[in-house]
Amino acid sequence: MKKYKNKIMARVFYVILLVSLIGCAEVNSERSKPNFVIIMADDLGYADLGCYGSETIKTPNIDRLAKEGIRFTDFHSNGTVCSPTRAALLTGKYQQRTGISGVVTAKSHRDVGLDLNETTFADMLKEAGYTTGMFGKWHVGYPEKYNPVYQGFDEYIGYVSGNVDYHAHIDQEGYEDWWHQNELQKEEGYSTDLITEHAVNFIKKHREEPFLLYIPHESPHGPFQGRNTPAFRKIGEVIPDKKRTSEETKVLLKEMIEVMDEGIGKVLQTLEELNLDENTFIVFCSDNGGARYGNNFPLRAGKASVYEGGHRVAGIFRWKGKIQPGESAETAMTMDILPTLAELTGVEAPLDLDGTSLKSLLLQNKSMKDRDLYWEFGNRMAMRRGQWKLVLAEDNKNPELYDLEADISEKNDLSDEFPEKTAAMKSSLLEWFDEVTKNVERKS
């Protein structure tokens, strides 16, 4: 009888041990999933960072990301302005398919937003067991029903408009615009610092579980305000920004970028202190090229243009121990980020993507397959086919053709020298536009 009881106890012990081991394996499996931190600057010029050539703006933390990861020299925002790029980032497809082709303005588009039927990268990773957080600029829907908490994000603090007063947190049309989840909530502080603070707290809070952290900064988008620049907007009033000289504005722009860089340094420091940095995949990019006071050298034009200065932007990817540091001249886009996250986690991505996973490029240095790429804003369009760039600067007329390998500044129009190539690319561009806008309600 005693031996029988001992056998029963032994079996119970082994069952408990087995269950414990399975539980530990599941926990370890969860912890082995990579964390993701996606940082997006706003209106950052191609040469507004030290690692992209700036000699005046000091960005040691972003420069460090570039040194420890891959720095793209041919990375592009999907849009040439704010909202379209964010729609493409969130969905992994051309923004035209979502109806967010232009700026979702505070004045004219307060009733529209990214369709809730779209699958965002937050939806995708949340379904895979990730805790998801977003702190900063949304800009793909003003109404509460389009709030990030309904689009895959467990936690959200930030603003939904194109920009807010950095201190008063009031948008261009005089509306209060600082949200905690789906409710307006006043909070004191400089927006860049608040975004950093909440991002750091999110990492600390969720250190024991896989997380996706999206940090879309306001900087260096106007209004141009530093930490000590007085607030000027008031609820219910439309007040223009203070007029400043170009030099005064450039001083503020420098401070705004450097404060953002400082905050990114705090995020990196937090990851290190919690021993998460080697299991965290980090992306840094901008939503479009620099505006009037941004530095896009050596590119032509800037924000809102389909020339390179409007959409060739900084693109940095770091995953310590996984991504070999270096530089890449491969051509990549904002919409490639979602499929990259999907492949890195083994998650099934939506079927209707336009983006391409960068996993093999980033982890194995494999070249990407050739593909045509497209841009459209207003009555202007452009496309890439290898080294060739076609520009339809206005109403599909007067096509321009540039060889970007020889002429990154787009100074020499070769359309007369290569009429057949020009005609073929123009035909492809117009066919693409018809396809991505077919049966789509344009919201912006």
Side-chain angles (χ1 to χ4, degrees), residues 284-325:
F284 176 86
C285 60
S286 180
D287 63 345
N288 48 252
R292 179 180 176 185
Y293 297 101
N295 183 0
N296 295 311
F297 181 83
L299 310 177
R300 179 175 176 177
K303 179 179 180 177
S305 170
V306 293
Y307 292 111
E308 290 294 286
H311 54 80
R312 187 182 292 230
V313 297
I316 300 169
F317 293 72
R318 191 197 82 169
W319 190 3
K320 293 182 72 174
K322 302 290 194 306
I323 293 177
Q324 187 70 27

Side-chain angles (χ1 to χ4, degrees), residues 84-111:
T85 296
R86 293 162 200 277
L89 169 67
L90 288 162
T91 64
K93 56 190 181 182
Y94 282 111
Q95 61 272 15
Q96 288 81 7
R97 298 189 192 277
T98 73
I100 308 292
S101 297
V103 180
V104 179
T105 64
K107 183 175 183 178
S108 303
H109 303 98
R110 300 198 74 90
D111 59 340

Side-chain angles (χ1 to χ4, degrees), residues 31 35 201-211 270 273-276:
R31 290 180 178 175
N35 303 309
N201 289 340
F202 177 86
I203 294 171
K204 292 178 178 178
K205 180 179 177 182
H206 300 291
R207 71 183 88 177
E208 298 294 337
E209 55 196 332
F211 60 77
T270 302
E273 291 174 349
L274 298 177
N275 296 316
L276 297 173

